Amino acid sequence: MMLGEGLFLMDKWSDQVAELADALAPTVGHHATLARSVKIFRAESAVSNIPKFLHPGILFVVQGMERLCCDVNVHIADSNHFLLTSAPLEFRIDTEAAAAMPLLAIQVAFDPATAMDIAQEIMRQDGSQAGPAAICQTCGVVDPPLRDLLCRLLKTLRDPVSCRILMPGLIRELHFLLLKGHDGPAVLAGLQGEGTRGKVLKTAAELLNRRRTGVSINNVAAAAEISISSYHSHFKALFGSTPLAYLKAARLHEARGLLKSADIGIAAVSHAVGYRGTSQFSREFHRYFGRTAQSEQKLLREAQSNLDLV
């Protein structure tokens, strides 16, 4: 294929998927779809340095751009690159978006059970091999098989019957393509808890489950049979932050979600996410988000805040 022909086909695909996503997300904000695991997001103004705690998922930006930064990695998600996260992760996000050229993004939930089932099939076929160091975040190229799949997925979302019948297979195919990709074995190593880094990654769920009641990092490291210095080193390599900073970010983002409720006050939110005093919560919330909890609550309740990026 000639270079010019390839660029033409890429532009044609970009226009097609942007048109499909635009129809599924006609207004600013998050849009649920006929598939519970798929959401579409639209933004018509750019943002800079916005904190976000992402759930495990695959992010495709079919128009516009998102730059997702943590201390160890900077990822670009655009029409040529996707982002995969297999664990909850904290990022600072910049975007490119405008009313005339809105940001259009598709978020597909990453399913560890589906990934592990596919891994079993891959290992039966390829045999057991020593895997690479575990990772929980990677950015890859949207190659022709992924472009074709994404187009079929968006078309399927337009029809309830097609979605019920075809979507499970499309989601499984997406997981398969990603796990067979360049960083797929490293993602699987993390899910399976292989090596020291994989063991550290497996402890993240325990940290998050106990974030409200408090947790001893020393005890978590000891239970995983890892020295505390090694635990901190590998945790930073995986998540881009210390375990305590990771937990604080998770608690503050949980608090921000609770602030949307009209029936809960700042003190109740503070207590719900594990803070012993409202003053400490208020200070840390303002330092992290750049606004007071009261200001954030007002913005969220008036639906004027467009900071919830996919």
Side-chain angles (χ1 to χ4, degrees):
M1 181 186 295
M2 299 289 290
L3 177 60
E5 183 181 356
L7 292 174
F8 171 77
L9 291 175
M10 181 64 185
D11 289 342
K12 185 177 181 181
W13 173 83
S14 297
D15 292 341
Q16 184 179 21
V17 294
E19 182 178 348
L20 290 167
D22 182 78
L24 292 165
T27 59
V28 168
H30 292 272
H31 295 264
T33 69
L34 294 172
R36 292 181 59 187
S37 61
V38 182
K39 294 182 180 179
I40 314 290
F41 177 74
R42 180 191 190 100
E44 296 184 353
S45 58
V47 297
S48 178
N49 198 35
I50 299 300
K52 182 67 178 180
F53 206 77
L54 293 183
H55 296 291
I58 307 108
L59 172 65
F60 295 98
V61 176
V62 298
Q63 185 170 276
M65 184 277 291
E66 289 195 24
R67 182 184 297 105
L68 303 100
C69 306
C70 67
D71 284 351
V72 292
N73 285 304
V74 177
H75 301 296
I76 300 294
D78 56 20
S79 60
N80 295 314
H81 303 90
F82 68 86
L83 172 70
L84 166 63
T85 56
S86 58
L89 285 162
E90 178 195 15
F91 290 103
R92 290 273 169 172
I93 300 179
D94 305 321
T95 68
E96 290 181 1
M101 187 66 69
L103 183 148
L104 296 168
I106 299 101
Q107 175 82 47
V108 183
F110 182 80
D111 181 18
T114 296
M116 293 299 291
D117 184 54
I118 292 171
Q120 296 294 328
E121 295 294 333
I122 292 175
M123 285 188 289
R124 274 194 285 268
Q125 180 68 28
D126 299 341
S128 179
Q129 300 178 357
I135 62 173
C136 58
Q137 53 179 298
T138 183
C139 193
V141 175
V142 184
D143 59 14
L146 278 174
R147 291 202 299 268
D148 173 69
L149 174 60
L150 192 57
C151 192
R152 286 186 283 127
L153 186 148
L154 290 172
K155 289 179 178 178
T156 301
L157 288 172
R158 299 184 301 180
D159 177 63
V161 175
S162 297
C163 194
R164 285 197 301 272
I165 296 171
L166 300 176
M167 190 56 66
L170 292 171
I171 297 298
R172 186 176 178 82
E173 182 181 351
L174 173 59
H175 282 66
F176 172 75
L177 290 176
L178 296 178
L179 295 174
K180 287 290 286 183
H182 180 268
D183 285 333
V187 172
L188 287 174
L191 294 175
Q192 294 167 332
E194 296 178 359
T196 302
R197 192 163 292 183
K199 291 179 181 178
V200 172
L201 183 54
K202 295 284 279 188
T203 68
E206 179 182 357
L207 293 179
L208 292 175
N209 288 339
R210 297 175 61 186
R211 65 184 181 272
R212 294 187 179 193
T213 57
V215 56
S216 167
I217 306 301
N218 287 351
N219 289 345
V220 170
E225 299 181 335
I226 305 170
S227 71
I228 188 63
S229 61
S230 179
Y231 184 85
H232 276 272
S233 175
H234 286 291
F235 195 98
K236 182 70 178 287
L238 283 164
F239 294 98
S241 68
T242 66
L244 289 177
Y246 180 78
L247 286 174
K248 181 185 292 187
R251 292 165 71 191
L252 290 173
H253 279 283
E254 181 185 9
R256 186 174 182 270
L258 292 174
L259 289 173
K260 296 178 182 180
S261 172
D263 300 322
I264 189 167
I266 304 300
V269 169
S270 170
H271 179 74
V273 299
Y275 280 88
R276 295 180 179 179
T278 305
S279 59
Q280 182 188 2
F281 166 74
S282 297
R283 286 194 305 272
E284 294 189 356
F285 190 98
H286 184 271
R287 186 181 303 119
Y288 187 80
F289 288 106
R291 289 175 302 280
T292 66
Q294 290 88 345
S295 297
E296 186 73 355
Q297 186 171 52
K298 182 178 180 181
L299 284 171
L300 291 168
R301 289 179 179 179
E302 294 175 353
Q304 293 177 354
S305 178
N306 186 29
L307 305 180
D308 283 324
L309 303 177
V310 291

